[in-house]
Amino acid sequence: MDGIGILFYAADATLLDCNDWFLQRTSYSREDVQTRSLTSSRLTPPEWSKPMEALFETVRRSGHVGPYEMKCLCKDGSQFWMIQSGCTLEDGTIVMHCVDIGERKRVETELRQAEEKLRAASTAAKLGWYSYDVVSEEIYWSKELRSIVQVGPDEPLNLERLRQLIHPEDRAFIQSHLNKSLRECDEDGYHAEFRIVRSNGEIRWFENRGKVLAIDEEGKLQPRFAVGMLLDITERKAAEQSTRELNKTLEQQAIQRNELRELLQHITRIANEAKTVEMAMRVTLDQITQYNGWLVGHVWRLADDDSGQMQSTGLWHVRKDAALSLQKLGDFQQTRGGLRFASGQGMIGRVLQTNEPQWVEDATLDPLLNRISDVGFRAAIAFPITVDGEIVAVMEFLSDHVLSRNHFFLEILPHIGIQLGHLIARKRLEAIAANIAIAEQQRIGRELHDGIAQQLTGGALIAETLRRSLPEQMKSQFENVKHLSDILKQAHQDVRRLSNGLLPSPIESVDLLPTLHGLAADTVDRFHLKCDVDHHRFDEGFVCNDSVALVIYQIACEAVHNTIKHAQANQIVIELRSMDHFAMTVRDDGVGFTFTGPAHKTSAHGLRIMRYRAESIGGELKIDTAPNQGTSVTLTIPQRNCQS
């Protein structure tokens, strides 16, 4: 039989015979058996002589023995493990059966060595290991595991006790995890993290890594043991939680920074596009109260009496639910509107003194803000609006709740103040420029009316008198003199129109296209220069704003005038287009110019005027020219500007 040795002994333990497996395993020959040259002392180590004698004595007395494990000697001196059992036959012969268990012993030795290494590693790393017998449900915990979980060395362990140790919120998960691991017997093992409640009530996190050892029964894996290790990961979990909280905080800060940047960009755009300072201030008050949840916003400005004090502008933004929170809000607005603050007085005075934003988290703790807290306000913030570093206004916001300082918000407030300051400075300059322009127009108008207009009137009278007094022989010059008289009269009308305002009378948007056709016809009649209006891609209803229509006409007039004066052109085309925006191009085939040449210097004033007019309606002017390539002047205006 393969893998089994059979030996026959006499009653005195003398070996009588054995099968071939035994001979091959021990390297003895058949001749050795036949000559009785094999003895038990040669089969077993010397230390096994007494156990062997006891074994045969048991067989002789009881008729059977075993099974017993024993080491046997080979002919070459090596040893191997066998398990023996035997019985006595009727004739007194003792039959012994031997099974080689060397492989099992090798595995047991490796397992024992692995356990010793595991125990040493556990001790060094302060890990705990365990084993679980699936069949008997016996649980074994190493000394290290009992120590870190705080389970006594003699305390019995079973599944119920283990369940009690696991945190209540994790019990269902661990039970499901255990069932799944035993069911699947995954070759890669299992892994889980859960909490254990120590005997003193302390909660600790553990990481469980292990593997289910299974046997194959009829092609199906059956779990036999679960072995693994537990590692205390409480500190790691705490670090992970701290990292998550930090990442969440950083993410929130990034979102907040983006929101604040968008707020600043929006207010900057408002400041650039607003027609009035008041409009920009009102929108800014609304935007900031929406962002931070302030109830009330208010704007202060420098007093006009050069006292350096701040007084109310009367600009307020009050959230709709503010009246429900603050019953005395109306009285507060009226009273505060009559106050003035000098440098250092109250929160507004602090801004004036430091030129920096001020944030009061709780007004009840600040004696200088008792007027605010008496009404029901708790938090307040104010920041300066500056022009070239000088404070011209202060914007304040109030809340009925305590609000902690937001450093990111404080960072952008000075930038908001600067953008609003730019608007104030620009409007001041525009007002100055407008006043200068009006004064200059009036001066030129008076000079035209009092000087050139009278001279043209006189010239027209002289031409008319000359025409009437022409002798018969000079009748051929009659038409020339009449044409001269008409030109002088037309020039007189133009000068009178300029002297009355220097600009053509306002036109309605519906008359834009006919007026441009009139400009083209007048150019042909007066200067004998071909001028056409191309409007096949233009919708006459696209421009609905009369002011915009006037500027379009003014720019067309200026561009045509520049062409007549400087371009030496043969043809002018005024092209109109309406798509998602309005566009007008005045194009000529003249000599063109460079932006550094003399032609540009002579027309620079007209170009500046056209650009100023385009920007005044939110449009853009582009000049495209080159020597001997003609010139194109293109005006583009957004659709919303044309229709509002």
Side-chain angles (χ1 to χ4, degrees):
M1 296 177 66
D2 294 339
I4 300 178
I6 303 176
L7 298 91
F8 298 92
Y9 290 92
D12 61 356
T14 301
L15 180 64
L16 300 176
D17 199 0
C18 63
N19 65 349
D20 292 339
W21 178 88
F22 183 79
L23 293 176
Q24 295 170 0
R25 190 71 183 86
T26 60
S27 299
Y28 285 102
S29 64
R30 178 63 59 184
E31 182 181 0
D32 292 331
V33 177
Q34 293 173 352
T35 59
R36 304 292 190 271
S37 59
L38 290 176
T39 64
S40 61
S41 62
R42 292 178 61 193
L43 289 173
T44 60
E47 63 270 19
W48 276 77
S49 58
K50 290 184 178 181
M52 285 294 292
E53 293 175 1
L55 183 145
F56 281 104
E57 180 62 29
T58 301
V59 173
R60 284 191 291 266
R61 185 176 66 252
S62 63
H64 62 273
V65 68
Y68 289 97
E69 294 182 0
M70 61 180 296
K71 280 194 295 188
C72 295
L73 291 172
C74 296
K75 187 175 183 179
D76 59 2
S78 62
Q79 299 179 2
F80 72 97
W81 279 91
M82 291 192 304
I83 185 169
Q84 284 192 348
S85 61
C87 63
T88 302
L89 302 180
E90 293 180 357
D91 60 357
T93 302
I94 300 173
V95 180
M96 301 293 293
H97 299 84
C98 304
V99 178
D100 187 348
I101 60 172
E103 180 63 22
R104 194 193 78 184
K105 283 293 185 178
R106 183 189 65 78
V107 172
E108 289 177 351
T109 300
E110 291 180 354
L111 181 59
R112 184 173 58 256
Q113 292 173 347
E115 289 178 348
E116 291 174 354
K117 292 179 181 178
L118 182 61
R119 186 175 293 108
S122 299
T123 302
K126 296 182 180 180
L127 300 172
W129 64 275
Y130 64 88
S131 66
Y132 169 59
D133 190 320
V134 178
V135 177
S136 66
E137 295 188 346
E138 291 182 357
I139 299 174
Y140 174 79
W141 278 14
S142 69
K143 179 178 66 175
E144 295 78 18
L145 181 54
R146 287 177 175 266
S147 176
I148 60 178
V149 179
Q150 292 186 349
V151 173
D154 300 324
E155 182 179 343
L157 288 172
N158 51 43
L159 291 177
E160 178 58 28
R161 175 59 178 140
L162 184 60
R163 178 180 172 278
Q164 294 173 358
L165 290 170
I166 297 173
H167 193 282
E169 295 179 2
D170 296 339
R171 287 172 185 169
F173 160 70
I174 289 299
Q175 184 63 54
S176 174
H177 176 73
L178 175 62
N179 295 339
K180 180 176 181 292
S181 300
L182 294 176
R183 183 174 61 253
E184 296 180 353
C185 300
D186 193 340
E187 184 67 23
D188 295 330
Y190 55 81
H191 169 245
E193 294 179 357
F194 58 94
R195 290 164 291 178
I196 282 181
V197 183
R198 285 178 167 179
S199 57
N200 61 0
E202 182 185 7
I203 299 175
R204 306 288 294 182
W205 274 95
F206 284 86
E207 180 181 11
N208 178 25
R209 289 185 179 273
K211 185 175 182 179
V212 175
L213 305 178
I215 58 176
D216 191 338
E217 293 185 358
E218 299 180 356
K220 184 177 181 180
L221 289 177
Q222 295 295 334
R224 185 66 183 85
F225 292 97
V227 294
M229 302 184 72
L230 286 181
L231 171 64
D232 189 333
I233 59 171
T234 305
E235 285 72 22
R236 192 193 80 189
K237 280 289 186 179
E240 290 176 353
Q241 180 64 25
S242 298
T243 301
R244 283 194 296 269
E245 291 176 356
L246 177 60
N247 289 337
K248 184 178 180 180
T249 300
L250 293 175
E251 182 179 352
Q252 291 174 345
Q253 289 178 352
I255 293 173
Q256 190 178 65
R257 281 185 176 273
N258 287 335
E259 291 176 348
L260 288 170
R261 184 168 60 249
E262 291 175 359
L263 175 64
L264 177 59
Q265 292 173 348
H266 183 57
I267 292 176
T268 300
R269 184 167 60 253
I270 291 170
N272 289 333
E273 297 177 356
K275 296 180 179 180
T276 65
V277 173
E278 179 179 344
M279 181 186 299
M281 293 292 185
R282 290 190 183 280
V283 175
T284 302
L285 289 171
D286 176 67
Q287 291 295 311
I288 292 180
T289 51
Q290 286 186 27
Y291 172 76
N292 256 38
W294 301 93
L295 277 178
V296 174
H298 181 214
V299 182
W300 300 80
R301 66 177 179 85
L302 282 174
D304 297 328
D305 54 9
D306 297 328
S307 63
Q309 295 179 335
M310 283 285 168
Q311 66 180 28
S312 174
T313 61
L315 291 178
W316 292 83
H317 178 82
V318 180
R319 215 168 65 190
K320 293 181 179 180
D321 58 341
L324 300 177
S325 303
L326 304 165
Q327 297 179 356
K328 300 179 181 180
L329 181 59
D331 295 338
F332 170 77
Q333 288 180 259
Q334 184 176 359
T335 302
R336 194 162 181 80
L339 297 177
R340 293 172 67 136
F341 291 97
S343 177
Q345 291 180 341
M347 186 174 63
I348 306 302
R350 292 178 193 168
V351 175
L352 191 59
Q353 184 181 46
T354 63
N355 201 3
E356 294 179 354
Q358 300 294 316
W359 189 310
V360 177
E361 298 180 355
D362 189 348
T364 61
L365 303 179
D366 193 329
L368 294 178
L369 298 179
N370 54 3
R371 293 177 179 174
I372 292 177
S373 60
D374 289 345
V375 179
F377 289 113
R378 299 295 297 276
I381 189 172
F383 65 93
I385 298 173
T386 58
V387 174
D388 296 330
E390 297 294 328
I391 298 178
V392 296
V394 173
M395 190 170 284
E396 70 172 348
F397 296 90
L398 307 170
S399 173
D400 60 344
H401 292 85
V402 174
L403 293 177
S404 299
R405 187 178 297 264
N406 184 327
H407 296 285
F408 299 136
F409 186 53
L410 281 172
E411 287 179 5
I412 72 158
L413 290 180
H415 299 289
I416 293 176
I418 290 172
Q419 294 301 324
L420 294 175
H422 288 335
L423 171 62
I424 293 173
R426 186 170 68 250
K427 292 302 180 182
R428 286 178 177 176
L429 292 175
E430 289 177 1
I432 294 172
N435 291 334
I436 293 174
I438 292 172
E440 184 66 12
Q441 288 177 3
Q442 291 174 349
R443 184 188 66 82
I444 295 174
R446 286 193 298 270
E447 291 183 358
L448 288 173
H449 182 273
D450 297 340
I452 298 177
Q454 294 181 6
Q455 293 177 9
L456 289 173
T457 300
L461 291 174
I462 294 173
E464 182 63 24
T465 301
L466 179 62
R467 183 181 66 81
R468 293 176 180 177
S469 61
L470 281 175
E472 190 65 28
Q473 60 271 26
M474 297 185 66
K475 290 295 183 180
S476 60
Q477 299 298 322
F478 180 83
E479 288 299 325
N480 291 334
V481 174
K482 183 179 183 301
H483 184 60
L484 174 60
S485 177
D486 292 340
I487 290 175
L488 291 173
K489 290 178 181 179
Q490 182 62 46
H492 177 260
Q493 293 177 0
D494 292 343
V495 170
R496 285 183 61 84
R497 184 176 65 248
L498 290 174
S499 67
N500 289 332
L502 291 179
L503 295 174
S505 300
I507 64 172
E508 295 182 0
S509 57
V510 294
D511 296 329
L512 175 61
L513 190 58
T515 305
L516 291 175
H517 277 293
L519 172 64
D522 187 60
T523 301
V524 173
D525 292 340
R526 294 182 58 186
F527 302 102
H528 307 290
L529 180 63
K530 186 177 180 181
C531 185
D532 297 316
V533 178
D534 180 358
H535 58 89
H536 72 280
R537 290 189 293 172
F538 174 64
D539 178 5
E540 292 189 49
F542 191 83
V543 179
C544 307
N545 188 306
D546 294 345
S547 299
V548 171
L550 174 60
V551 172
I552 293 172
Y553 176 68
Q554 290 172 338
I555 291 176
C557 289
E558 188 69 32
V560 170
H561 174 75
N562 285 344
T563 299
I564 295 170
K565 189 173 181 180
H566 304 292
Q568 303 176 28
N570 297 314
Q571 182 179 10
I572 301 174
V573 176
I574 303 173
E575 181 184 2
L576 304 177
R577 302 181 301 280
S578 56
M579 300 164 284
D580 57 346
H581 62 277
F582 170 81
M584 177 182 70
T585 299
V586 181
R587 184 184 307 108
D588 67 61
D589 59 355
V591 297
F593 60 88
T594 63
F595 286 92
T596 57
H600 174 255
K601 292 181 180 180
T602 57
S603 61
H605 181 66
L607 295 178
R608 282 197 298 270
I609 292 175
M610 285 192 288
R611 281 201 171 94
Y612 175 79
R613 286 174 172 162
E615 292 171 358
S616 70
I617 57 172
E620 181 181 358
L621 195 74
K622 181 180 178 182
I623 311 296
D624 185 13
T625 184
N628 300 317
Q629 298 296 321
T631 301
S632 294
V633 178
T634 301
L635 168 67
T636 56
I637 308 171
Q639 182 177 0
R640 65 177 183 275
N641 294 27
C642 294
Q643 300 175 355
S644 62

